[in-house]
mmCIF file of all heavy atoms in Angstrom:
data_model
loop_
_atom_site.group_PDB
_atom_site.id
_atom_site.type_symbol
_atom_site.label_atom_id
_atom_site.label_comp_id
_atom_site.label_asym_id
_atom_site.label_seq_id
_atom_site.Cartn_x
_atom_site.Cartn_y
_atom_site.Cartn_z
ATOM 1 N N THR J 198 49.736 151.898 112.390
ATOM 2 C CA THR J 198 50.592 152.053 111.216
ATOM 3 C C THR J 198 51.631 150.949 111.234
ATOM 4 O O THR J 198 52.134 150.567 112.300
ATOM 5 C CB THR J 198 51.268 153.440 111.171
ATOM 6 O OG1 THR J 198 52.025 153.572 109.954
ATOM 7 C CG2 THR J 198 52.199 153.675 112.344
ATOM 8 N N ALA J 199 51.939 150.398 110.061
ATOM 9 C CA ALA J 199 52.894 149.297 109.942
ATOM 10 C C ALA J 199 54.006 149.693 108.979
ATOM 11 O O ALA J 199 53.736 150.220 107.895
ATOM 12 C CB ALA J 199 52.191 148.036 109.439
ATOM 13 N N VAL J 200 55.244 149.436 109.386
ATOM 14 C CA VAL J 200 56.406 149.774 108.565
ATOM 15 C C VAL J 200 57.370 148.596 108.542
ATOM 16 O O VAL J 200 57.384 147.770 109.456
ATOM 17 C CB VAL J 200 57.139 151.028 109.087
ATOM 18 C CG1 VAL J 200 56.224 152.238 109.070
ATOM 19 C CG2 VAL J 200 57.703 150.802 110.491
ATOM 20 N N ILE J 201 58.164 148.540 107.505
ATOM 21 C CA ILE J 201 59.205 147.526 107.429
ATOM 22 C C ILE J 201 60.324 147.856 108.402
ATOM 23 O O ILE J 201 60.792 147.002 109.162
ATOM 24 C CB ILE J 201 59.754 147.433 105.994
ATOM 25 C CG1 ILE J 201 58.654 147.000 105.025
ATOM 26 C CG2 ILE J 201 60.951 146.478 105.916
ATOM 27 C CD1 ILE J 201 58.956 147.304 103.582
ATOM 28 N N PHE J 202 60.714 149.133 108.397
ATOM 29 C CA PHE J 202 61.890 149.538 109.166
ATOM 30 C C PHE J 202 61.568 150.701 110.093
ATOM 31 O O PHE J 202 60.961 151.689 109.678
ATOM 32 C CB PHE J 202 63.016 149.948 108.210
ATOM 33 C CG PHE J 202 64.335 150.169 108.896
ATOM 34 C CD1 PHE J 202 65.155 149.093 109.198
ATOM 35 C CD2 PHE J 202 64.747 151.430 109.249
ATOM 36 C CE1 PHE J 202 66.358 149.285 109.849
ATOM 37 C CE2 PHE J 202 65.952 151.646 109.899
ATOM 38 C CZ PHE J 202 66.763 150.561 110.195
ATOM 39 N N TYR J 203 61.971 150.557 111.340
ATOM 40 C CA TYR J 203 61.788 151.592 112.361
ATOM 41 C C TYR J 203 63.167 151.933 112.918
ATOM 42 O O TYR J 203 63.898 151.042 113.353
ATOM 43 C CB TYR J 203 60.859 151.047 113.452
ATOM 44 C CG TYR J 203 60.797 151.842 114.732
ATOM 45 C CD1 TYR J 203 60.776 153.235 114.731
ATOM 46 C CD2 TYR J 203 60.731 151.189 115.963
ATOM 47 C CE1 TYR J 203 60.703 153.951 115.908
ATOM 48 C CE2 TYR J 203 60.647 151.899 117.148
ATOM 49 C CZ TYR J 203 60.639 153.276 117.116
ATOM 50 O OH TYR J 203 60.566 153.986 118.297
ATOM 51 N N TYR J 204 63.528 153.218 112.899
ATOM 52 C CA TYR J 204 64.864 153.611 113.352
ATOM 53 C C TYR J 204 65.160 153.083 114.757
ATOM 54 O O TYR J 204 66.230 152.564 115.033
ATOM 55 C CB TYR J 204 64.999 155.120 113.322
ATOM 56 C CG TYR J 204 65.595 155.656 112.037
ATOM 57 C CD1 TYR J 204 65.087 155.282 110.798
ATOM 58 C CD2 TYR J 204 66.656 156.540 112.053
ATOM 59 C CE1 TYR J 204 65.617 155.768 109.625
ATOM 60 C CE2 TYR J 204 67.210 157.050 110.884
ATOM 61 C CZ TYR J 204 66.682 156.649 109.667
ATOM 62 O OH TYR J 204 67.218 157.133 108.509
ATOM 63 N N GLY J 205 64.217 153.263 115.684
ATOM 64 C CA GLY J 205 64.378 152.728 117.023
ATOM 65 C C GLY J 205 65.437 153.410 117.866
ATOM 66 O O GLY J 205 65.932 152.829 118.838
ATOM 67 N N ILE J 206 65.797 154.647 117.512
ATOM 68 C CA ILE J 206 66.849 155.340 118.268
ATOM 69 C C ILE J 206 66.388 156.684 118.839
ATOM 70 O O ILE J 206 67.129 157.323 119.576
ATOM 71 C CB ILE J 206 68.113 155.563 117.404
ATOM 72 C CG1 ILE J 206 67.783 156.415 116.167
ATOM 73 C CG2 ILE J 206 68.719 154.227 116.992
ATOM 74 C CD1 ILE J 206 69.016 156.805 115.345
ATOM 75 N N PHE J 207 65.180 157.098 118.489
ATOM 76 C CA PHE J 207 64.650 158.358 119.000
ATOM 77 C C PHE J 207 63.589 158.030 120.052
ATOM 78 O O PHE J 207 62.530 157.483 119.724
ATOM 79 C CB PHE J 207 64.063 159.199 117.867
ATOM 80 C CG PHE J 207 65.077 159.537 116.797
ATOM 81 C CD1 PHE J 207 64.957 159.016 115.511
ATOM 82 C CD2 PHE J 207 66.160 160.347 117.076
ATOM 83 C CE1 PHE J 207 65.891 159.312 114.530
ATOM 84 C CE2 PHE J 207 67.108 160.649 116.106
ATOM 85 C CZ PHE J 207 66.969 160.135 114.829
ATOM 86 N N PRO J 208 63.863 158.344 121.324
ATOM 87 C CA PRO J 208 63.026 157.849 122.418
ATOM 88 C C PRO J 208 61.583 158.329 122.412
ATOM 89 O O PRO J 208 60.722 157.686 122.993
ATOM 90 C CB PRO J 208 63.758 158.345 123.674
ATOM 91 C CG PRO J 208 64.634 159.478 123.209
ATOM 92 C CD PRO J 208 65.013 159.143 121.816
ATOM 93 N N ASP J 209 61.299 159.440 121.751
ATOM 94 C CA ASP J 209 59.946 159.994 121.808
ATOM 95 C C ASP J 209 59.036 159.506 120.676
ATOM 96 O O ASP J 209 57.864 159.888 120.626
ATOM 97 C CB ASP J 209 59.995 161.530 121.777
ATOM 98 C CG ASP J 209 60.619 162.107 123.039
ATOM 99 O OD1 ASP J 209 60.552 161.433 124.080
ATOM 100 O OD2 ASP J 209 61.188 163.216 122.967
ATOM 101 N N THR J 210 59.552 158.685 119.770
ATOM 102 C CA THR J 210 58.776 158.302 118.591
ATOM 103 C C THR J 210 57.454 157.642 118.947
ATOM 104 O O THR J 210 56.378 158.073 118.496
ATOM 105 C CB THR J 210 59.588 157.352 117.687
ATOM 106 O OG1 THR J 210 60.795 157.992 117.302
ATOM 107 C CG2 THR J 210 58.785 156.981 116.446
ATOM 108 N N GLU J 211 57.512 156.590 119.739
ATOM 109 C CA GLU J 211 56.288 155.853 120.050
ATOM 110 C C GLU J 211 55.338 156.673 120.915
ATOM 111 O O GLU J 211 54.124 156.523 120.817
ATOM 112 C CB GLU J 211 56.636 154.507 120.686
ATOM 113 C CG GLU J 211 57.295 153.569 119.665
ATOM 114 C CD GLU J 211 57.618 152.198 120.201
ATOM 115 O OE1 GLU J 211 56.678 151.504 120.626
ATOM 116 O OE2 GLU J 211 58.808 151.823 120.201
ATOM 117 N N LYS J 212 55.903 157.574 121.739
ATOM 118 C CA LYS J 212 55.043 158.478 122.515
ATOM 119 C C LYS J 212 54.339 159.473 121.595
ATOM 120 O O LYS J 212 53.145 159.748 121.749
ATOM 121 C CB LYS J 212 55.850 159.229 123.570
ATOM 122 C CG LYS J 212 54.982 160.136 124.463
ATOM 123 C CD LYS J 212 55.809 160.860 125.494
ATOM 124 C CE LYS J 212 54.913 161.631 126.450
ATOM 125 N NZ LYS J 212 54.003 162.586 125.798
ATOM 126 N N THR J 213 55.080 160.007 120.616
ATOM 127 C CA THR J 213 54.483 160.938 119.649
ATOM 128 C C THR J 213 53.309 160.282 118.941
ATOM 129 O O THR J 213 52.231 160.873 118.805
ATOM 130 C CB THR J 213 55.538 161.378 118.606
ATOM 131 O OG1 THR J 213 56.568 162.092 119.279
ATOM 132 C CG2 THR J 213 54.917 162.271 117.542
ATOM 133 N N LEU J 214 53.515 159.046 118.482
ATOM 134 C CA LEU J 214 52.444 158.326 117.806
ATOM 135 C C LEU J 214 51.332 157.960 118.789
ATOM 136 O O LEU J 214 50.145 158.112 118.480
ATOM 137 C CB LEU J 214 53.004 157.061 117.152
ATOM 138 C CG LEU J 214 53.961 157.291 115.969
ATOM 139 C CD1 LEU J 214 54.651 155.995 115.590
ATOM 140 C CD2 LEU J 214 53.229 157.881 114.780
ATOM 141 N N GLY J 215 51.704 157.500 119.963
ATOM 142 C CA GLY J 215 50.714 157.104 120.960
ATOM 143 C C GLY J 215 49.820 158.251 121.392
ATOM 144 O O GLY J 215 48.614 158.082 121.569
ATOM 145 N N ASP J 216 50.407 159.437 121.541
ATOM 146 C CA ASP J 216 49.623 160.612 121.917
ATOM 147 C C ASP J 216 48.606 160.968 120.844
ATOM 148 O O ASP J 216 47.615 161.648 121.112
ATOM 149 C CB ASP J 216 50.548 161.817 122.175
ATOM 150 C CG ASP J 216 51.340 161.685 123.469
ATOM 151 O OD1 ASP J 216 51.004 160.797 124.282
ATOM 152 O OD2 ASP J 216 52.294 162.455 123.646
ATOM 153 N N HIS J 217 48.870 160.523 119.622
ATOM 154 C CA HIS J 217 47.961 160.767 118.500
ATOM 155 C C HIS J 217 47.022 159.570 118.279
ATOM 156 O O HIS J 217 46.300 159.524 117.281
ATOM 157 C CB HIS J 217 48.783 161.033 117.234
ATOM 158 C CG HIS J 217 48.143 161.983 116.271
ATOM 159 N ND1 HIS J 217 47.939 163.320 116.536
ATOM 160 C CD2 HIS J 217 47.641 161.786 115.024
ATOM 161 C CE1 HIS J 217 47.354 163.901 115.507
ATOM 162 N NE2 HIS J 217 47.146 162.993 114.572
ATOM 163 N N GLY J 218 47.087 158.619 119.195
ATOM 164 C CA GLY J 218 46.203 157.453 119.100
ATOM 165 C C GLY J 218 46.636 156.419 118.088
ATOM 166 O O GLY J 218 45.805 155.705 117.519
ATOM 167 N N ILE J 219 47.952 156.315 117.855
ATOM 168 C CA ILE J 219 48.469 155.413 116.827
ATOM 169 C C ILE J 219 49.434 154.399 117.449
ATOM 170 O O ILE J 219 50.352 154.774 118.188
ATOM 171 C CB ILE J 219 49.216 156.182 115.723
ATOM 172 C CG1 ILE J 219 48.367 157.336 115.198
ATOM 173 C CG2 ILE J 219 49.622 155.254 114.590
ATOM 174 C CD1 ILE J 219 49.169 158.362 114.430
ATOM 175 N N THR J 220 49.253 153.122 117.112
ATOM 176 C CA THR J 220 50.175 152.064 117.510
ATOM 177 C C THR J 220 51.067 151.716 116.330
ATOM 178 O O THR J 220 50.587 151.554 115.201
ATOM 179 C CB THR J 220 49.408 150.809 117.958
ATOM 180 O OG1 THR J 220 48.586 151.137 119.083
ATOM 181 C CG2 THR J 220 50.357 149.692 118.349
ATOM 182 N N LEU J 221 52.374 151.622 116.588
ATOM 183 C CA LEU J 221 53.351 151.320 115.540
ATOM 184 C C LEU J 221 53.691 149.834 115.529
ATOM 185 O O LEU J 221 53.966 149.240 116.567
ATOM 186 C CB LEU J 221 54.634 152.127 115.791
ATOM 187 C CG LEU J 221 55.832 151.824 114.877
ATOM 188 C CD1 LEU J 221 55.537 152.239 113.442
ATOM 189 C CD2 LEU J 221 57.090 152.531 115.398
ATOM 190 N N HIS J 222 53.687 149.232 114.326
ATOM 191 C CA HIS J 222 54.123 147.850 114.120
ATOM 192 C C HIS J 222 55.296 147.882 113.139
ATOM 193 O O HIS J 222 55.226 148.573 112.120
ATOM 194 C CB HIS J 222 52.990 146.999 113.546
ATOM 195 C CG HIS J 222 51.709 147.116 114.321
ATOM 196 N ND1 HIS J 222 51.466 146.412 115.469
ATOM 197 C CD2 HIS J 222 50.618 147.899 114.103
ATOM 198 C CE1 HIS J 222 50.262 146.736 115.940
ATOM 199 N NE2 HIS J 222 49.729 147.633 115.128
ATOM 200 N N HIS J 223 56.342 147.141 113.426
ATOM 201 C CA HIS J 223 57.520 147.178 112.553
ATOM 202 C C HIS J 223 58.194 145.809 112.536
ATOM 203 O O HIS J 223 57.928 144.955 113.385
ATOM 204 C CB HIS J 223 58.513 148.235 113.025
ATOM 205 C CG HIS J 223 59.119 147.941 114.376
ATOM 206 N ND1 HIS J 223 58.473 148.257 115.550
ATOM 207 C CD2 HIS J 223 60.277 147.337 114.722
ATOM 208 C CE1 HIS J 223 59.224 147.871 116.570
ATOM 209 N NE2 HIS J 223 60.316 147.308 116.101
ATOM 210 N N LEU J 224 59.093 145.630 111.548
ATOM 211 C CA LEU J 224 59.802 144.358 111.417
ATOM 212 C C LEU J 224 61.183 144.394 112.054
ATOM 213 O O LEU J 224 61.585 143.445 112.714
ATOM 214 C CB LEU J 224 59.929 143.960 109.944
ATOM 215 C CG LEU J 224 58.610 143.741 109.193
ATOM 216 C CD1 LEU J 224 58.890 143.229 107.778
ATOM 217 C CD2 LEU J 224 57.694 142.788 109.940
ATOM 218 N N CYS J 225 61.938 145.470 111.842
ATOM 219 C CA CYS J 225 63.272 145.534 112.446
ATOM 220 C C CYS J 225 63.693 146.976 112.643
ATOM 221 O O CYS J 225 63.050 147.914 112.135
ATOM 222 C CB CYS J 225 64.302 144.762 111.614
ATOM 223 S SG CYS J 225 64.901 145.616 110.137
ATOM 224 N N THR J 226 64.786 147.147 113.397
ATOM 225 C CA THR J 226 65.318 148.471 113.715
ATOM 226 C C THR J 226 66.803 148.523 113.348
ATOM 227 O O THR J 226 67.397 147.516 112.946
ATOM 228 C CB THR J 226 65.176 148.777 115.216
ATOM 229 O OG1 THR J 226 66.093 147.927 115.948
ATOM 230 C CG2 THR J 226 63.747 148.547 115.710
ATOM 231 N N TRP J 227 67.413 149.692 113.575
ATOM 232 C CA TRP J 227 68.857 149.811 113.353
ATOM 233 C C TRP J 227 69.634 148.856 114.251
ATOM 234 O O TRP J 227 70.699 148.357 113.872
ATOM 235 C CB TRP J 227 69.331 151.242 113.602
ATOM 236 C CG TRP J 227 69.187 152.158 112.437
ATOM 237 C CD1 TRP J 227 68.563 153.379 112.406
ATOM 238 C CD2 TRP J 227 69.706 151.962 111.107
ATOM 239 N NE1 TRP J 227 68.638 153.938 111.149
ATOM 240 C CE2 TRP J 227 69.343 153.090 110.330
ATOM 241 C CE3 TRP J 227 70.422 150.933 110.495
ATOM 242 C CZ2 TRP J 227 69.678 153.214 108.985
ATOM 243 C CZ3 TRP J 227 70.765 151.058 109.153
ATOM 244 C CH2 TRP J 227 70.396 152.195 108.410
ATOM 245 N N TRP J 228 69.103 148.591 115.454
ATOM 246 C CA TRP J 228 69.812 147.679 116.360
ATOM 247 C C TRP J 228 69.866 146.268 115.784
ATOM 248 O O TRP J 228 70.882 145.572 115.919
ATOM 249 C CB TRP J 228 69.139 147.686 117.734
ATOM 250 C CG TRP J 228 69.210 149.033 118.383
ATOM 251 C CD1 TRP J 228 68.182 149.923 118.574
ATOM 252 C CD2 TRP J 228 70.391 149.683 118.880
ATOM 253 N NE1 TRP J 228 68.646 151.079 119.156
ATOM 254 C CE2 TRP J 228 69.999 150.963 119.365
ATOM 255 C CE3 TRP J 228 71.730 149.302 118.970
ATOM 256 C CZ2 TRP J 228 70.896 151.854 119.931
ATOM 257 C CZ3 TRP J 228 72.646 150.197 119.524
ATOM 258 C CH2 TRP J 228 72.216 151.450 120.000
ATOM 259 N N ASP J 229 68.796 145.840 115.148
ATOM 260 C CA ASP J 229 68.786 144.527 114.509
ATOM 261 C C ASP J 229 69.760 144.481 113.339
ATOM 262 O O ASP J 229 70.472 143.489 113.141
ATOM 263 C CB ASP J 229 67.372 144.188 114.020
ATOM 264 C CG ASP J 229 66.355 144.176 115.146
ATOM 265 O OD1 ASP J 229 66.595 143.498 116.158
ATOM 266 O OD2 ASP J 229 65.319 144.864 115.005
ATOM 267 N N VAL J 230 69.789 145.553 112.561
ATOM 268 C CA VAL J 230 70.702 145.620 111.416
ATOM 269 C C VAL J 230 72.151 145.626 111.890
ATOM 270 O O VAL J 230 73.015 144.937 111.322
ATOM 271 C CB VAL J 230 70.404 146.866 110.564
ATOM 272 C CG1 VAL J 230 71.505 147.101 109.533
ATOM 273 C CG2 VAL J 230 69.055 146.723 109.867
#
């Protein structure tokens, strides 16, 4: 899945997606903003 913006502040997000067999692609996060 690809998104423009990823919050990047909830530690379990990528694990939640990964456990479902999904890799996340994003452009920036709140830290970048």
Side-chain angles (χ1 to χ4, degrees):
T198 184
V200 299
I201 298 161
F202 189 82
Y203 167 41
Y204 267 51
I206 60 174
F207 300 113
D209 293 334
T210 302
E211 291 182 60
K212 183 180 186 304
T213 296
L214 292 169
D216 288 347
H217 212 67
I219 309 163
T220 299
L221 173 67
H222 309 278
H223 65 277
L224 299 185
C225 78
T226 70
W227 275 127
W228 297 108
D229 301 308
V230 169

